[in-house]
Amino acid sequence: MTLEDAAAWALTRLNTAFFHHYDRREYDAVLDLFAPDARYEVHGRTLRGHAEILDVLNARSGPEQTIRHLVAGQHFHTITDTTAQGAITLIAYSGPTPADEGPARYPAATAGHIVELTDHYRAERGRWKIAKRSVDMILAPATD
């Protein structure tokens, strides 16, 4: 396996782990995927470091809302042994968590948002971390 293939595989795993933990509100695991000095640009804000990122994570909706992000595509490039860049496309859905068993129903307003992440990664002590992540909404459901 080439250096680039090994890095792409590790970064794919990092991103699938990110959304697994993010959707389940397991924020310690999410923070572990960011470099301590990471920059996270989301919802018009630029966050720097774990403390600022954790503040925004903790402000997300709670268990009354079921959220899932489906990773649709990942492209990694400019890979060296310590740095890489990537573009991740995902589809986001959310809806009220049901009081009974069964799936959460999502209204059209919170269904099928297409989001693109632009990432810079850094290898630290043999583990890839997110050094910078920018989140951009690409498509959103129509309101009419």
Side-chain angles (χ1 to χ4, degrees), residues 14-114:
L14 179 150
N15 282 296
T16 56
F18 180 94
F19 287 105
H20 174 84
H21 297 301
Y22 185 80
D23 287 346
R24 290 158 183 79
R25 297 170 186 83
E26 298 167 349
Y27 297 141
D28 289 340
V30 170
L31 280 180
D32 188 48
L33 301 172
F34 282 100
D37 61 344
R39 225 169 65 202
Y40 188 28
E41 297 171 354
V42 62
H43 303 299
R45 296 179 59 190
T46 299
L47 312 169
R48 289 177 174 79
H50 282 188
E52 288 184 19
I53 294 169
L54 183 59
D55 286 345
V56 167
L57 292 174
N58 285 329
R60 291 179 69 218
S61 61
E64 71 280 356
Q65 194 76 1
T66 298
I67 299 170
R68 288 296 180 267
H69 293 82
L70 309 174
V71 178
Q74 299 185 70
H75 174 72
F76 304 105
H77 58 92
T78 321
I79 299 171
T80 72
D81 56 345
T82 59
T83 63
Q85 295 178 39
I88 292 80
T89 303
L90 56 100
I91 306 168
Y93 291 88
S94 70
T97 300
D100 304 340
E101 289 188 34
R105 305 288 179 191
Y106 54 87
T110 62
H113 291 79
I114 309 294

Side-chain angles (χ1 to χ4, degrees), residues 10 16 34 50 75 102 108 117-118 121 125 143:
T16 56
F34 282 100
H50 282 188
H75 174 72
L117 310 176
T118 303
Y121 305 97
R125 295 182 294 285
T143 57

